[in-house]
Amino acid sequence: MSTESNLSRTDAAVPILSLRDVRQSYDGHEVVRGLSLELKRGSIGCLLGPSGCGKTTVLRCIAGFETLTTGEIRIDGEVVSGPGVQLPPERRRIGMVFQDYALFPHLTVAKNVAFGLRAFDRKEQAKRIAQSIELVGLQGHEDKYPHQLSGGQQQRVALARALAPGPQLLLLDEPFSNLDVDLRERLGQEVRDIIKRAGITAILVTHDQNEAFAIADEIGIMHEGEIRQWDTAYNLYHRPASRFVADFIGQGVLLPGSVVSSNQVRVEIGMLNGDVPSNCGMGCDACGKGCEVTVLLRPDDVIHDDSSNLRAEILSRAFRGADILYTLRLDSGRKVLALVPSHHNHSIGERIGIRLAADHVVTFPPLPAEFAEGAHAA
């Protein structure tokens, strides 16, 4: 189950998963709308979005539980769903980890892991059971029953069972939703490490962006059955392609700005330096003509600086251990957010010095007047 053995099985140039213009409808309502994506071998992808956006339906289509209205799905170059083709789930070489783990309560850990290994002889079954249990770090728990395990251990059993047959693709459907927040974060990194060690290609569905950031190499932001941006976590946060993505990922505010040059935008609290989109989102041929834009500012773009002449009033504060998230009111009445090390401990009503420290300029067309003042991106 090593990375090398999995990656060498087939041509690495062929995407392990390819969706082309996939559409799926329930009772005449289109849930997935012309969705396309590719997932390269050995990578972990994620479909991230609010409830009802169609992400779980996409996963079910990949697994073969749903039939496409139109479009095509290929796994390792083979058409598994498409016009006249609907390969059954058991022939797709897919492993799946469900939201509720779906463990058999009357079977031990070892027997749960063995459940998908009926096609192998006893010697190979024993080998794969041992390898999978070791991979997820549950040695010594082989003879325990699910009720004797913690939630995190049960999740690892489900993962071991899905990995044991050596699938081409692993699907994870909201795998941490039954766990508390602290355990989710820790287990998310563990699951990523396990998948990478196994050399398996995987796709995760979640509504929790911290989960997505911890596990996935690439993330697709879904909304109303479509992928609005497929990118790395870094780019989704710092270079969102649309206002919706900016709203959904992280926190931030939208301030009015004026384009000064091709690499400068002026906002109320200073000058932003960076590459400004050539059309400013307004259809201009070039920047530098005073185009009005909306600028996205993240909490880490605003720095607390006692030596700054620019002051802002603290409206609220959220203590987060190492940091404090301050909501600040500017002299205009507009609001910004600032993420500040927690030893800068200030009270509501205080006025503190701030300055800009943004590496990226993210602009959108101007907001309508009713949303323009102190608008929050998230």
Side-chain angles (χ1 to χ4, degrees):
M1 295 177 69
S2 70
T3 302
E4 291 75 17
S5 62
N6 276 285
L7 295 183
S8 62
R9 285 175 187 166
T10 50
D11 183 2
V14 177
I16 197 70
L17 177 66
S18 176
L19 279 68
R20 289 285 177 269
D21 195 28
V22 166
R23 296 178 183 271
Q24 213 280 339
S25 301
Y26 290 121
D27 300 325
H29 173 64
E30 197 169 48
V31 180
V32 182
R33 303 174 179 178
L35 183 143
S36 298
L37 67 85
E38 284 191 352
L39 194 61
K40 63 185 179 182
R41 197 173 306 279
S43 66
I44 303 175
C46 176
L47 296 175
L48 172 65
S51 298
C53 70
K55 57 188 184 295
T56 295
T57 300
V58 174
L59 206 71
R60 290 178 60 81
C61 289
I62 296 168
F65 300 144
E66 304 288 349
T67 303
L68 304 185
T69 305
T70 62
E72 179 184 271
I73 298 175
R74 290 176 180 261
I75 297 178
D76 201 19
E78 178 186 5
V79 177
V80 296
S81 294
V85 179
Q86 180 65 14
L87 204 67
E90 64 272 15
R91 291 181 55 198
R92 297 190 179 204
R93 284 194 59 198
I94 284 176
M96 191 149 188
V97 179
F98 297 95
Q99 185 172 346
D100 60 358
Y101 316 142
L103 299 179
F104 298 104
H106 62 289
L107 297 182
T108 63
V109 167
K111 289 182 178 179
N112 263 286
V113 175
F115 186 79
L117 299 176
R118 294 175 181 177
F120 301 93
D121 61 37
R122 288 190 177 183
K123 183 177 179 181
E124 183 64 19
Q125 284 187 27
K127 176 184 174 183
R128 286 173 178 264
I129 290 167
Q131 285 180 335
S132 300
I133 288 175
E134 181 181 0
L135 186 66
V136 301
L138 287 177
Q139 304 97 310
H141 297 275
E142 291 87 346
D143 296 326
K144 291 184 179 179
Y145 290 88
H147 73 272
Q148 297 175 300
L149 304 175
S150 68
Q153 289 172 326
Q154 290 180 32
Q155 211 277 343
R156 286 198 284 270
V157 175
L159 184 58
R161 182 179 61 188
L163 292 174
Q168 300 182 98
L169 181 66
L170 179 67
L171 307 180
L172 301 103
D173 184 12
E174 300 272 7
F176 308 111
S177 59
N178 293 329
L179 304 175
D180 62 61
V181 174
D182 290 340
L183 184 55
R184 270 188 221 173
E185 189 170 337
R186 186 172 74 250
L187 195 57
Q189 187 58 58
E190 288 179 10
V191 166
R192 175 181 168 82
D193 291 343
I194 290 167
I195 293 171
K196 289 295 185 181
R197 287 201 304 273
I200 298 292
T201 308
I203 188 161
L204 161 77
V205 158
T206 183
H207 64 276
D208 186 324
Q209 58 186 267
N210 291 326
E211 233 170 72
F213 291 172
I215 298 174
D217 299 309
E218 294 182 291
I219 301 166
I221 305 299
M222 283 196 66
H223 182 55
E224 296 180 342
E226 300 175 342
I227 290 180
R228 298 302 176 90
Q229 186 173 350
W230 181 270
D231 219 323
T232 63
Y234 183 90
N235 284 342
L236 291 172
Y237 185 83
H238 289 292
R239 300 185 180 102
S242 68
R243 193 171 284 148
F244 173 80
V245 175
D247 283 349
F248 190 76
I249 294 294
Q251 292 178 294
V253 297
L254 299 170
L255 290 182
S258 180
V259 177
V260 175
S261 70
S262 61
N263 59 7
Q264 287 186 312
V265 177
R266 179 179 287 111
V267 294
E268 181 179 347
I269 57 176
M271 191 77 75
L272 286 165
N273 296 303
D275 293 332
V276 179
S278 60
N279 64 1
C280 308
M282 292 293 293
C284 308
D285 292 330
C287 295
K289 299 181 179 178
C291 298
E292 297 302 314
V293 292
T294 298
V295 178
L296 171 67
L297 289 182
R298 298 294 194 188
D300 45 318
D301 292 332
V302 179
I303 302 297
H304 175 222
D305 183 353
D306 286 326
S307 65
S308 174
N309 293 324
L310 180 65
R311 318 298 281 184
E313 179 188 357
I314 298 174
L315 293 181
S316 64
R317 43 173 284 154
F319 186 79
R320 298 185 172 184
D323 305 293
I324 300 174
L325 180 66
Y326 287 111
T327 301
L328 305 171
R329 180 162 54 201
L330 305 175
D331 289 341
S332 66
R334 295 188 180 93
K335 299 171 187 175
V336 294
L337 302 175
L339 193 62
V340 176
S342 62
H343 58 270
H344 293 279
N345 187 23
H346 297 282
S347 303
I348 292 173
E350 278 190 58
R351 288 176 63 82
I352 62 173
I354 58 171
R355 61 179 172 82
L356 276 177
D359 293 329
H360 306 284
V361 178
V362 180
T363 64
F364 304 111
L367 283 168
E370 62 268 30
F371 300 116
E373 192 164 311
H376 278 253

